[in-house]
Amino acid sequence: MNRSEAEKRIGALRSEITLHDYRYYVEDAPSVPDAEYDRLLRELQALEAEHPDLVTPESPTQRVGGEPMEGFEAVRHETPMLSLANAFSSDEIEQFHDRVIRGLETDHAEYVAEPKLDGVAISLRYRDGRLQQAATRGDGATGEDVTSNVRTINAIPLQLEMRESDIPWPVTLEVRGEIYMPLSGFEEYNARARESGEKELVNPRNAAAGSLRQLDPRLTAQRPLAFYAYAMVAASEDMPESHYQALQRLRSWGFPVNPEVRRVRDAGGCIAYYEEMSRKRENLSYDIDGVVYKVDSREEQKTLGYVSRAPRWAIAQKFPAQEEITRLLDIDVQVGRTGAITPVARLEPVFVGGVTVTNATLHNLDEIQ
């Protein structure tokens, strides 16, 4: 195959592989068997090996590469990655809604309700439709550059595509979302680890966080990580008028968006969504620890503003803590550096909330009683 023919075939293969990625990760509707996908990828790898001058950073073959890093560079977030206030009851959601409508001087409010994935928040920066940088939340102001590791996650587009919309992406774009490990992938990874005598992963959330902080991207590539976009926070051109519109636009450019996301109205709509997700929780393919409500209108978000390190226009409603029964084996007393004495319970190991618990401090008298 001469160079001209190879260039055309390489372009066709990249487009086809990218389309299959979109259908698998965004539409949740795989279009070819895994074996056919692998065949296309191998053909592309072979052609690029014959014509290395045709290799581009956005090629599907370039997700994994390079030598292990010595450490992670610090990244300053242009827009801070803030935490959300938490609510644990319907009464608190009604109070939140009352604050919103008072702040907006209106009678009703439209929200976008979303599952709260138990994963790792990530910020993705694109320029001219190409992934330039990926950074962790860190302390909210400064995170770590994990671009090489994030490039290994097939669900995150390296090059944006217009699939369901004729609206072009802006020159610069910042997208935020959650990297997580699907339950099936977590179980399969641990099954292989048991067979080979390697260390098992403790729970999906810790597995996702640990995978992102591997200094060797080739190790990250071995972990079954996935991604959902949950916000467009900055763009060099006009932003959509609403959060929901922003999510649909991101989806049209190739970002996976959680299919459980929907618009709801007032506190009643939020509470109904929470109850629905509580029922669905056990059957989802990923862990969630609650739901999130965000005022839909960007203009109304600006009006409400922020308090301390959290937005006034959003809140997370957490699910009740998981509880298990175990046996108290012993109580030790620890003496701290300042002389403070803390009793520590030694427990018969019990698996709860994705973690095996063997010790518990006994400094909260009311909870002990």
Side-chain angles (χ1 to χ4, degrees):
M1 187 180 294
N2 62 40
R3 190 183 186 283
S4 177
E5 292 172 336
E7 188 171 9
K8 289 180 182 178
R9 182 57 181 160
I10 285 172
L13 285 168
R14 288 174 182 168
S15 296
E16 187 173 357
I17 291 169
T18 302
L19 177 60
H20 293 320
D21 283 341
Y22 177 80
R23 288 176 174 164
Y24 186 93
Y25 295 105
V26 179
E27 295 184 337
D28 194 23
S31 50
V32 293
D34 289 348
E36 173 63 11
Y37 182 92
D38 292 340
R39 187 194 67 76
L40 294 171
L41 192 60
R42 286 195 300 271
E43 182 183 352
L44 177 59
Q45 289 170 334
L47 283 172
E48 288 183 344
E50 291 178 18
H51 303 275
D53 58 312
L54 297 178
V55 177
T56 66
E58 293 72 44
S59 173
T61 64
Q62 300 304 298
R63 286 191 173 273
V64 185
E67 296 300 315
M69 298 171 286
E70 295 182 1
F72 297 106
E73 297 289 332
V75 175
R76 185 78 178 176
H77 297 301
E78 294 180 14
T79 302
M81 296 185 73
L82 302 177
S83 301
L84 296 179
N86 289 326
F88 296 91
S89 68
S90 296
D91 288 344
E92 290 176 283
I93 295 304
E94 290 175 350
Q95 293 166 13
F96 163 73
H97 174 63
D98 287 342
R99 292 193 297 271
V100 167
I101 58 176
R102 283 201 307 272
L104 297 176
E105 298 181 349
T106 186
D107 295 328
H108 300 282
E110 299 286 339
Y111 300 96
V112 174
E114 312 165 15
K116 186 177 182 298
L117 270 72
D118 199 8
V120 181
I122 198 78
S123 170
L124 306 173
R125 293 182 186 175
Y126 287 78
R127 185 168 186 84
D128 295 324
R130 295 180 174 87
L131 178 64
Q132 297 291 303
Q133 187 179 71
T136 60
R137 181 199 299 274
D139 63 4
T142 303
E144 292 180 321
D145 187 333
V146 290
T147 309
S148 294
N149 290 344
V150 164
R151 287 177 61 89
T152 70
I153 302 172
N154 287 343
I156 294 177
L158 303 180
Q159 170 68 62
L160 303 187
E161 301 278 348
M162 285 189 287
R163 298 291 183 191
E164 302 173 2
S165 170
D166 58 359
I167 300 175
W169 51 80
V171 174
T172 60
L173 173 70
E174 184 175 355
V175 177
R176 292 189 178 161
E178 197 86 358
I179 291 174
Y180 66 98
M181 186 173 288
L183 297 177
S184 59
F186 174 74
E187 292 163 1
E188 289 169 7
Y189 184 94
N190 276 348
R192 290 195 300 270
R194 285 192 295 271
E195 289 175 4
S196 59
E198 297 176 3
K199 185 177 179 181
E200 294 182 45
L201 303 173
V202 176
N203 59 53
R205 194 229 172 265
N206 288 359
S211 299
L212 272 191
R213 300 203 77 257
Q214 295 290 330
L215 292 175
D216 188 345
R218 291 168 292 189
L219 296 178
T220 304
Q222 297 172 13
R223 305 290 178 88
L225 298 177
F227 169 79
Y228 277 130
Y230 61 59
M232 183 193 302
V233 298
S236 56
E237 285 121 65
D238 291 342
M239 295 276 284
E241 294 181 359
S242 78
H243 174 59
Y244 189 81
Q245 290 172 352
L247 292 180
Q248 302 315 304
R249 193 168 296 181
L250 290 176
R251 190 179 189 277
S252 75
W253 294 335
F255 293 96
V257 174
N258 195 302
E260 303 292 345
V261 171
R262 68 184 60 124
R263 282 172 163 149
V264 298
R265 183 177 171 87
D266 295 338
C270 293
I271 294 167
Y273 180 84
Y274 173 86
E275 292 171 349
E276 177 188 347
M277 293 310 300
S278 296
R279 293 190 297 270
K280 286 186 173 182
R281 182 183 184 188
E282 294 300 318
N283 296 317
L284 294 174
S285 61
Y286 44 83
D287 276 342
I288 62 173
D289 57 2
V291 298
V292 174
Y293 314 115
K294 301 172 185 174
V295 171
D296 190 26
S297 165
R298 286 190 176 274
E299 194 61 39
E300 290 180 347
Q301 290 180 7
K302 292 178 184 177
T303 299
L304 292 166
Y306 299 82
V307 56
S308 183
R309 292 170 58 86
R312 286 192 175 96
W313 43 265
I315 195 167
Q317 186 173 6
K318 304 294 284 290
F319 291 132
Q322 291 178 276
E323 297 179 349
E324 294 290 346
I325 295 175
T326 190
R327 185 183 302 276
L328 176 65
L329 302 178
D330 200 359
I331 296 178
D332 295 338
V333 175
Q334 293 182 345
V335 181
R337 179 177 53 81
T338 62
I341 295 175
T342 302
V344 178
R346 305 303 179 188
L347 306 172
E348 193 172 277
V350 59
F351 192 74
V352 56
V355 178
T356 299
V357 179
T358 56
N359 305 315
T361 56
L362 302 175
H363 56 271
N364 294 318
L365 184 60
D366 57 337
E367 292 187 13
I368 296 168
Q369 290 172 337

